[in-house]
């Protein structure tokens, strides 16, 4: 069994990882066209797909589960990062998405976040690279799930960790998510 499947204990995220591996069909990465949302069951509300638009130097969301829309207080389908995030936060997220696609690595993070409604929570995220219509890595299958509520004064003590995996699921690195977009700003 791959280490990412051993490490990701949340059943919603684990289901997405399991399906990502199944959709690869012997390739290093699954093709976006191989994704079947009906196979995600109860994980679907937490899943999103965004694609890089190189001509605009941005990412646009094509599929966004209702739980993710609720986290941001608005529908994200069809929007680019800059249309719903502050400029600084959008730039950080774009950098992380660029790193995922450039490296072909899988990212799993756990970090505190303050939501649009000022609730303080712990959020787990997955970034799983996929190939688009051109066959290039230009799409990310992701998952964003609140896994705990925390008090505002406990935010600094909350678990903040990121793990990075090779495309075969081998763990390459575990470190602090402090320097990522997930915990650098109080509001995200």
């Amino acid at each position: 069994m791959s280490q990412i499947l051993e490490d990701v204990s949340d059943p919603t995220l684990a289901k997405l990882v399991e399906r990502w591996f199944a959709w690869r069909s012997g390739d290093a990465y699954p093709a976006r066209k191989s994704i079947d949302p009906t196979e995600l069951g109860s994980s679907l509300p937490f899943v999103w797909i965004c694609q890089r638009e190189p001509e605009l130097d941005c990412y646009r969301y094509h599929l966004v589960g209702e739980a993710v829309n609720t986290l941001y207080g608005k529908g994200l389908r069809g929007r680019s990062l800059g249309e719903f995030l502050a400029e600084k936060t959008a730039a950080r997220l774009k950098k992380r998405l660029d790193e995922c696609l450039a490296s072909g690595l899988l990212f799993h993070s756990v970090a505190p976040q303050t939501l649009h409604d000022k609730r303080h929570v712990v959020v787990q995220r997955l970034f799983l690279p996929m190939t688009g219509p051109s066959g290039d890595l230009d799409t990310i299958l992701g998952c964003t799930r609140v896994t705990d509520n925390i008090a505002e004064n406990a935010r600094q003590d909350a678990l903040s960790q990121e793990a990075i995996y090779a495309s075969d699921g081998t763990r390459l690195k575990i470190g602090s998510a402090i320097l990522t977009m997930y915990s650098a700003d109080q509001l995200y």
Side-chain angles (χ1 to χ4, degrees), residues 127-146:
F127 291 177
L128 306 171
M130 300 187 307
T131 60
S134 67
D136 296 328
L137 283 180
D138 67 358
T139 304
I140 295 181
L141 175 64
C143 188
T144 302
R145 179 157 154 64
V146 172

Side-chain angles (χ1 to χ4, degrees), residues 72 85 89 93 113-115 125 181-182 185-188:
Y72 291 94
L85 294 172
T89 303
L93 179 53
Q113 178 176 324
T114 302
L115 302 178
R125 286 189 175 81
M181 54 167 275
Y182 310 124
D185 284 336
Q186 286 292 314
L187 290 173
Y188 167 67

Side-chain angles (χ1 to χ4, degrees), residues 24 26 61 74 112 125 130 138 165 176:
R24 290 180 355 164
Y61 286 84
K74 60 185 87 175
R125 286 189 175 81
M130 300 187 307
D138 67 358
Y165 301 86
S176 172

Side-chain angles (χ1 to χ4, degrees), residues 6 13 21 51 57 61 74 77 87 89 93 102 104 115 126 135 145 153 156 160 168-169 171-174 179:
E6 294 171 6
L13 278 73
F21 279 110
Q51 186 170 14
D57 193 30
Y61 286 84
K74 60 185 87 175
R77 185 171 186 247
E87 185 177 338
T89 303
L93 179 53
L115 302 178
L126 282 172
R145 179 157 154 64
N153 60 353
Q156 299 303 323
S160 181
D168 66 359
R171 185 184 328 104
L172 301 175
K173 178 182 173 186
I174 293 181
L179 299 178

